[in-house]
Amino acid sequence: MFKKILIANRGEIACRIIKTARRMGIATVAVYSDADARAPFVQMADEAVHIGPSPAAQSYLLADKIIAACKQTGAEAVHPGYGFLSERTSFAEALAKENIAFIGPPVNAIAAMGDKIESKKLAMAAGVNVVPGFVGEIDDTEHAVRISEEIGYPVMMKASAGGGGKGMRLAYNEQDVREGFEATKREGLNSFGDDRVFIEKFILNPRHIEIQILGDQHGNILYLNERECSIQRRHQKVVEEAPSPFVTPKMRKAMGEQCVALSRAVGYYSAGTVELIVSGADPSGESFYFLEMNTRLQVEHPVTECITGIDLVEQMIRVAAGEKLGFTQDDIKIDGWAIENRVYAEDPYRGFLPSTGRLTRYIPPSPSGEGTGVGSVHQTQHQPDKPHPNPSPEGEGLTAIELRGINGVRVDDGVAEGGEVSIFYDPMIAKLITWGATRDEAADLQIAALDRFEIEGLGHNIDFVSAIMQHPRFRSGELTTGFIAEEYPDGFQGAPADAELIKSLAAIAGFVATAQADRARHVDGQLGDTLDPPSRWQVSIGEAVHDIEMVDGDIHVDGVPFDLSMEYDPGDRLIEAEVSLLQRRLGASPNQFESGPRPSPGNSIDLAVKIMRTRTGFHLTTRGATHVVHVLPGHIAHLATHMIQKIPPDLSKFLICPMPGLLTTLHVNVGDTVEAGQPLAVVEAMKMENILRAEKSGTVKLINAQAGDSLAVDAVILEME
């Protein structure tokens, strides 16, 4: 077994690999760029080597710097994680020349599966179902249009070397092909160094199912069941689960055996994933087709670990060291259900625009008061100058219980409070994984954990993924890759809240307002000796208006006693509340600001509510929505009707940069006439190109930026008249 390995990656996956290596008694080496100098994974590793500036092309993508770090530290093997160099044959070959083990598959398998065009040919030869399409090289846009018309719309254009949702465009007609083909080529070239594109038929009502493969160097290849990854946005996975609610045992066996056959055809070993597209319109499950094989560890590997109890990182290390798998296909079971939500730095309330900046507050859900994740940096961290933690007696990886986190909640992250989510890398902040005996139990745990996930300083998608967990269609299991586009066609405005939830939030807001007023009356210098806090409040949430009153220590909502069990101290940012479903009398003390006896289990619902004070009330966030709450003392509330509403300014004449990014293209000049919907500029952010279009017709009056400029959010690019 290796004594020391180097992790050629960053962030949460680096933390995840370090965790297992530590348990196995293996020392670890981290490599880091300027942007990651203070990152948690650098602190967790036994040694750390600086490899260059922040851009990945000048650091994490330079194989010679990784190899130099191996030689400097004496690392015997490299784990590439995912992304960066994980699927570069040249990197694996360079390691082999230096006698450094690559913790991954053989070079020939990476090469065969990394080329989407060649991999389809191999899949066909191995007897694997493939999607109808054109698997040759495409000359130009006109050629792409002819191919698309022959296949029949809709079609999907994909970069041959693409992955992770990058370099993909869906085309429903000729115009889409003409607009998207060159962009797909550019994304492929910029992200993967390969501008070849292939085109295939887009399967209607598609479900994205993938099979986890694991093999050793002695010819043993197994499939570790499937994962459902159908909920995607811009072809980037958002929610993953295992097993799939759609896959039957018969389907699982057929899919698994075909994927094993493909793996065997290329002499595969280590962990890998075969991605399949499945027609949701075919209940027989026989209409499944090969998409691609990812010859690396997947972002969503934790859900497979949760239901199988197998530490995939450990198995990759053991296979790379030449060990045989210690189990057979018959040993692979399905225990419970696991769901993973990717917590991204993006703002779903602003069209999912990327959000970068400093994490001024970062507290993941912690049922035990400690870190919850396999990769969580909130667990005890090993510092380079301290003795190495004792490995498990057998030198094994994580146990099934550890893989499921604490009380079924696991957080894999690589960030810490005060850290920065930069423009240079992927926008993922963390992965929240929950495990339960049933799918509903795992989803319920997601909702509860998301409510307790505190992130401030930048936009994030916690409300959005919580809304998905509650959505009736998600609960039914009727999923397709079009789920988000179909269910949120006009964007995301928060999960819907019923009248009872709004009433509960109004009661909480009134309770908090009373507590804050009570604290204020104790401030020195008040007029008079005794000032009682207001006991009546008018609380407005959207169109709902509720009168809240404290009567002899009890909370009344609209004149009716309301059973609420909670504690609050001014300054708290998270409120744990329990609301009685039976609405029994509550003995709340306004002096202590703590509720009375807790309702009986089963007769109440638990609410975790994040609270942020505003000038006129609060923002209360729970159950997938942030509610703007206005709170006025009861004796002046009636005056609010006389306030003049401020009319927002008309910004349609400005082209405003919606996210921090690089202005790569400006399509117009001063004096040009533009039409509504016309592309005006292209801004690149988080490795994605974003086309900015005119909101209305007009003439370009002034241009404030030029191609190559780095723009801040809300920067004015140009003005029209």
Side-chain angles (χ1 to χ4, degrees), residues 451-616:
D451 279 346
R452 291 163 176 80
F453 213 134
E454 299 182 61
I455 299 177
E456 295 177 13
L458 42 71
H460 56 78
N461 67 336
I462 285 178
D463 283 357
F464 179 62
V465 290
S466 179
I468 291 175
M469 294 296 98
Q470 302 170 64
H471 200 289
R473 181 174 164 189
F474 172 79
R475 290 300 183 119
S476 73
E478 296 296 324
L479 311 178
T480 70
T481 55
F483 177 92
I484 291 176
E486 293 161 7
E487 299 301 327
Y488 302 97
D490 301 320
F492 178 71
Q493 303 301 325
D498 59 26
E500 290 305 312
L501 177 58
I502 294 298
K503 186 184 293 185
S504 298
L505 294 178
I508 290 171
F511 192 94
V512 170
T514 305
Q516 292 185 348
D518 182 68
R519 181 185 187 182
R521 74 189 178 99
H522 291 94
V523 176
D524 287 344
Q526 299 281 0
L527 294 175
D529 296 328
T530 58
L531 286 174
D532 294 327
S535 60
R536 294 186 300 110
W537 304 92
Q538 184 184 88
V539 178
S540 303
I541 305 177
E543 306 225 339
V545 179
H546 292 287
D547 293 319
I548 311 299
E549 187 172 8
M550 304 296 293
V551 181
D552 297 327
D554 292 348
I555 299 176
H556 285 223
V557 178
D558 300 328
V560 179
F562 191 87
D563 280 3
L564 175 68
S565 176
M566 62 173 279
E567 296 180 15
Y568 175 77
D569 289 320
D572 286 352
R573 303 193 192 198
L574 180 68
I575 296 171
E576 298 275 359
E578 193 168 304
V579 180
S580 173
L581 297 177
L582 303 180
Q583 290 299 287
R584 295 179 299 185
R585 186 178 179 278
L586 168 72
S589 168
N591 296 319
Q592 298 175 355
F593 293 98
E594 179 177 342
S595 72
R598 299 177 73 83
S600 303
N603 294 329
S604 62
I605 58 171
D606 292 323
L607 286 177
V609 183
K610 292 187 280 285
I611 180 170
M612 184 177 72
R613 190 171 184 176
T614 65
R615 188 173 60 85
T616 58

Side-chain angles (χ1 to χ4, degrees), residues 35-239:
D36 287 332
R38 296 177 180 83
F41 75 93
V42 176
Q43 301 173 38
M44 290 177 69
D46 297 290
E47 300 175 65
V49 179
H50 178 253
I51 56 170
S54 300
Q58 300 174 43
S59 52
Y60 296 107
L61 288 172
L62 295 180
D64 57 343
K65 291 194 174 185
I66 305 295
I67 292 172
C70 289
K71 292 180 177 180
Q72 176 183 333
T73 59
E76 306 158 87
V78 171
H79 196 306
Y82 50 74
F84 294 142
L85 298 171
S86 62
E87 295 178 281
R88 294 280 182 93
T89 54
S90 58
F91 179 54
E93 288 170 341
L95 289 174
K97 288 179 182 178
E98 300 294 339
N99 201 29
I100 300 170
F102 179 69
I103 303 177
V107 171
N108 64 296
I110 299 174
M113 294 294 102
D115 186 321
K116 287 185 170 62
I117 294 174
E118 293 303 316
S119 66
K120 284 187 175 295
K121 294 178 181 177
L122 281 167
M124 293 173 66
V128 180
N129 303 339
V130 297
V131 180
F134 184 82
V135 294
E137 291 193 33
I138 301 172
D139 302 327
D140 51 27
T141 300
E142 293 302 325
H143 190 196
V145 169
R146 292 197 301 273
I147 290 169
S148 300
E149 290 175 348
E150 290 172 3
I151 295 172
Y153 294 106
V155 298
M156 181 70 78
M157 297 176 288
K158 294 184 180 180
S160 181
K166 304 295 189 301
M168 299 174 67
R169 289 288 192 285
L170 180 59
Y172 287 96
N173 50 49
E174 179 182 336
Q175 182 179 350
D176 289 345
V177 175
R178 293 188 181 280
E179 287 187 359
F181 180 72
E182 290 298 328
T184 305
K185 290 187 68 174
R186 284 195 303 272
E187 283 188 9
L189 184 62
N190 293 337
S191 298
F192 311 104
D194 186 342
D195 68 352
R196 290 179 302 154
V197 173
F198 72 97
I199 299 177
E200 65 185 12
K201 179 71 175 176
F202 181 71
I203 304 298
L204 295 175
N205 299 323
R207 297 182 77 115
H208 188 119
I209 309 292
E210 58 188 33
I211 300 292
Q212 177 68 58
I213 293 295
L214 183 63
D216 61 26
Q217 299 185 49
H218 305 277
N220 301 304
I221 304 178
L222 313 176
Y223 63 92
L224 276 58
N225 305 314
E226 81 285 350
R227 294 186 288 258
E228 171 95 48
C229 307
S230 295
I231 297 183
Q232 305 176 4
R233 194 183 64 78
R234 294 181 181 172
H235 312 298
Q236 182 77 42
K237 299 166 189 172
V238 177
V239 181

Side-chain angles (χ1 to χ4, degrees), residues 335-407:
D335 182 9
W337 212 287
I339 298 175
E340 174 180 297
N341 275 303
R342 300 190 188 187
V343 179
Y344 283 128
E346 62 184 15
D347 190 346
Y349 293 99
R350 296 186 65 188
F352 299 94
L353 293 175
S355 180
T356 59
R358 193 165 302 283
L359 286 163
T360 58
R361 187 173 182 83
Y362 179 77
I363 303 177
S366 304
S368 69
E370 302 174 354
T372 61
V374 168
S376 176
V377 300
H378 301 274
Q379 300 190 24
T380 302
Q381 294 182 4
H382 171 64
Q383 302 295 336
D385 57 347
K386 296 181 180 179
H388 197 280
N390 291 327
S392 59
E394 302 81 12
E396 295 177 350
L398 301 166
T399 67
I401 294 175
E402 290 173 312
L403 291 169
R404 291 170 181 169
I406 298 173
N407 297 331

